[in-house]
Amino acid sequence: MRLMLLTAGSRGDVEPFAALARCAAAQGHEVRLAAPENPGADLAGLDTVGLEVDFQRLVGTQGASPWTAVRHYRAEVGPGMRRMLSAAVRETLAFRPDVVVHHPKVLTAPVVADALGIPHVVVETVPVLTPTREFPAPGVVTRDLGPFNRWTYAATRSAARMFRRDIEEACAQLPGSTPAAPPSAPTASLVPISPQLLPRPADWPASTHLTGAWHDDAGAPELDPAVLRFLRGGAYLVATFGSMAAGDPSSRGRAVVESARAHGLRTLLLTGWGGLALPDELRGDDVHVARSVSLDAVLPGAALAVHHGGAGTVHAVARAGIPHVVVPFLADQPFWGRQLHRLGLAATPVPRKHLATARLTAAVVEALSCASTAERVGREIREEHGLQTALDVVLSC
């Protein structure tokens, strides 16, 4: 089959799609992956095209907060989304696939699939599209509303209305006139989340598939020799806030390093898109700073990880079998912080604005007490076959 994969967002949004593309290509399918520019993910060996938007630059200029995105809509977000939506239509038409698999942000994917008369499958990297009574839509509200939880999922449909005119303009490329009717519902929804971290809600429809995490088993890339030397030097923690950059990165770096030292741990500080920085006075042999490394290569030997709670990082840490301290910033991150704590895998989440040495030091104590549970859950996750489960669903459409 010819599979068109379309994704948008940061590294955590691109890596699962890249893993699915490799899995499908290895089994003889023709796969093209459309992704943002400068995605921060390894796309080597894949048939890729760009979607003419750089989410890293958008975050660098206007931040990741939804409120700043609204304020900068005219200058940055709007033009970027228009380019992406148009490129998604153009590249899908050029490839002529048998099925489209897409991220929810790629709002033109269902329309172009309908125009081609092919099925489309949506990927809920965050479970915000399929309503359930069991939890509110992550990132919409922060407390359980019981029987009203299902109502919170209506908020996620507002994006399509917000970009309605951009969608229409992008779809002007389609043969004939742009359809007046709403696009068809997806044939299936794939949720690349481990059931060890989120049991399948009983009220999800059969068309929504909790596949397990999408992890590329090809093996972690080789690490820089300096990182390898650091890892061999004794017990350490890993700190990363991924694409999160709001606030004071030096203050956060100070809290992480001082908390690690309070427990006799060294620190691998991953600065990512700018969310962490090391103050000069805290430099030492017990701290190694890098912009980015393969988490699969450095997490298994760590005592714990301090991170923002993005879904990709959550799964990488959980798969490694080590405990978490989650410092959520926005979107689904508070949801994951609460969920991991509820499962006994993480300390009580530390709000970003309350991150300080004393509070983080206490959180590290709590997280280390979760080590045995984290190790058990890690073994279970490593036995999952999320990519194959997902691919089987796509091929059956």
Side-chain angles (χ1 to χ4, degrees):
M1 290 183 69
R2 292 171 65 84
L3 278 62
M4 185 74 189
L5 275 55
L6 299 139
T7 189
S10 63
R11 177 176 178 175
D13 298 293
V14 176
E15 285 185 333
F17 279 80
L20 183 62
R22 287 195 175 93
C23 178
Q27 296 182 31
H29 301 285
E30 295 182 63
V31 188
R32 180 163 293 171
L33 173 62
E37 313 297 333
N38 192 25
D42 179 14
L43 305 183
L46 296 174
D47 178 2
T48 62
V49 291
L51 288 181
E52 300 184 9
V53 61
D54 185 337
F55 281 89
Q56 182 170 345
R57 192 182 69 82
L58 284 182
V59 170
T61 56
Q62 52 86 21
S65 162
W67 306 115
T68 56
V70 169
R71 288 200 302 272
H72 292 265
Y73 177 83
R74 185 180 298 275
E76 295 286 346
V77 178
M81 283 293 291
R82 281 192 287 276
R83 292 193 303 273
M84 181 193 73
L85 295 174
S86 181
V89 173
R90 182 176 64 253
E91 296 296 347
T92 304
L93 288 174
F95 189 59
R96 308 294 295 188
D98 298 309
V99 62
V100 169
V101 182
H102 67 97
H103 190 286
K105 285 192 181 82
V106 188
L107 297 166
T108 47
V111 184
V112 69
D114 287 350
L116 293 173
I118 60 175
H120 62 97
V121 176
V122 67
V123 178
E124 296 187 56
T125 51
V126 179
V128 295
L129 298 182
T130 306
T132 177
R133 295 181 185 88
E134 296 187 16
F135 52 84
V140 177
V141 298
T142 58
R143 63 188 183 93
D144 194 304
L145 300 179
F148 302 106
N149 281 336
R150 292 181 66 90
W151 295 5
T152 65
Y153 291 81
T156 61
R157 294 191 288 271
S158 63
R161 293 193 293 270
M162 180 179 179
F163 293 101
R164 179 180 56 82
R165 182 171 297 178
D166 299 324
I167 295 170
E168 291 174 352
E169 290 179 1
C171 291
Q173 307 169 70
L174 296 174
S177 59
T178 302
S184 64
T187 305
S189 179
L190 303 176
V191 184
I193 292 173
S194 170
Q196 298 296 322
L197 303 183
L198 185 71
R200 189 183 196 280
D203 56 351
W204 271 3
S207 59
T208 298
H209 303 266
L210 187 70
T211 64
W214 297 0
H215 179 244
D216 192 342
D217 292 323
E222 290 188 14
L223 291 170
D224 181 271
V227 176
L228 280 173
R229 285 193 299 272
F230 179 81
L231 298 185
R232 293 168 181 157
Y236 63 94
L237 66 75
V238 176
T240 174
F241 291 148
S243 59
M244 301 295 102
D248 184 349
S250 292
S251 175
R252 289 197 290 266
R254 176 181 299 279
V256 169
V257 171
E258 291 180 345
S259 300
R261 286 174 175 169
H263 294 285
L265 295 170
R266 298 172 309 123
T267 304
L268 178 59
L269 199 72
L270 305 180
T271 59
W273 288 10
L276 284 169
L278 180 65
D280 287 340
E281 66 271 20
L282 292 181
R283 294 185 181 278
D285 293 340
D286 63 339
V287 182
H288 185 87
V289 180
R291 184 176 184 276
S292 176
V293 299
S294 166
L295 293 180
D296 287 337
V298 301
L299 287 172
L304 75 156
V306 179
H307 62 90
H308 57 300
T313 305
V314 163
H315 277 86
V317 175
R319 186 170 54 249
I322 64 172
H324 317 238
V325 174
V326 179
V327 183
F329 284 62
L330 47 76
D332 60 320
Q333 296 162 13
F335 169 83
W336 283 117
R338 294 190 304 272
Q339 181 71 0
L340 293 170
H341 177 58
R342 188 182 69 80
L343 294 171
L345 299 171
T348 305
V350 179
R352 172 178 66 87
K353 292 183 179 180
H354 298 155
L355 181 62
T357 298
R359 188 155 184 175
L360 188 55
T361 300
V364 170
V365 173
E366 187 182 0
L368 291 174
S369 71
C370 300
S372 60
T373 302
E375 183 179 4
R376 175 183 57 78
V377 169
R379 288 196 300 268
E380 296 290 338
I381 292 176
R382 292 192 293 272
E383 292 297 318
E384 294 174 359
H385 301 284
L387 283 172
Q388 190 59 54
T389 299
L391 184 58
D392 288 345
V393 172
V394 172
L395 298 180
S396 68
C397 291

